[in-house]
Amino acid sequence: MQLITVTIDKPETTNFIFGQAHFIKTVEDLHEALAAAVPGIRFGVAFCEASGKCLVRWSGTDPAMVELATKNAQAIAAGHCFFIFLGDGFYPINVLNTVKMVPEVCRIFCATANPSEVILAETGQGRAVLGVVDGLITKGIEGDDDIKWRKDLLRQIGYKL
């Protein structure tokens, strides 16, 4: 068995969801769930098929996001994993519960815009996701100014009143 890390290749501010599902119809069901959750959402979905032709299956409403999803899925190449890349102005918080409720979805590894790495184990049969490095090392505990900044940000972007 080999341990491998793969860096997620994406623009700095682009959000994505990385998860695991279990069936070829995942691509269509994720597409329908996203489109129904947020009118006009721009996204790309890619799913690593784990049997049959073992292809990266894909769908989406934004060609650039589809390209990011398929490129990263191909780099990970671990069975039944999926990526959802969200266009500018769309965030995981708006679709995450909807994605979790798709019957094929088994787990979500991360939902982030942070720099990320996927830790994989590779055997003679295939690859498995062991975990995800989401962001950077924690550097301390927030103080009063940091609390104020956090609360102001959440209100500025409309997530708190």
Side-chain angles (χ1 to χ4, degrees):
M1 177 181 73
Q2 273 188 297
L3 293 179
I4 302 166
T5 60
V6 175
T7 300
I8 302 303
D9 185 13
K10 66 175 202 62
E12 184 178 349
T13 59
T14 300
N15 281 275
F16 72 96
I17 299 168
F18 176 53
Q20 187 174 35
H22 71 89
F23 190 43
I24 193 171
K25 97 180 177 72
T26 299
V27 171
E28 291 179 41
D29 287 355
L30 285 173
H31 184 119
E32 292 168 2
L34 291 163
V38 180
I41 190 169
R42 293 185 337 271
F43 67 89
V45 176
F47 172 73
C48 295
E49 187 177 42
S51 59
K53 291 186 174 185
C54 295
L55 300 173
V56 172
R57 305 291 181 168
W58 60 272
S59 187
T61 61
D62 183 304
M65 296 301 106
V66 169
E67 183 179 344
L68 282 173
T70 56
K71 177 173 58 172
N72 282 284
Q74 194 166 25
I76 297 301
H80 287 156
C81 289
F82 67 86
F83 280 96
I84 299 169
F85 276 84
L86 300 170
D88 289 344
F90 298 98
Y91 304 97
I93 194 168
N94 302 121
V95 296
L96 195 54
N97 281 334
T98 299
V99 169
K100 290 179 195 176
M101 294 304 296
V102 171
E104 297 88 4
V105 172
C106 301
R107 71 176 54 186
I108 302 295
F109 293 110
C110 69
T112 188
N114 290 334
S116 302
E117 297 175 319
V118 178
I119 303 165
L120 300 163
E122 184 170 333
T123 70
Q125 177 177 314
R127 289 181 172 178
V129 177
L130 300 182
V132 174
V133 178
D134 179 350
L136 309 173
I137 294 173
T138 303
K139 299 174 184 169
I141 297 176
E142 70 180 348
D144 291 340
D145 289 342
D146 303 306
I147 293 169
K148 181 181 180 336
W149 176 87
R150 171 175 43 92
K151 289 182 176 184
D152 289 347
L153 173 68
L154 292 174
R155 281 144 188 83
Q156 177 187 351
I157 63 175
Y159 283 100
K160 292 288 182 174
L161 298 177

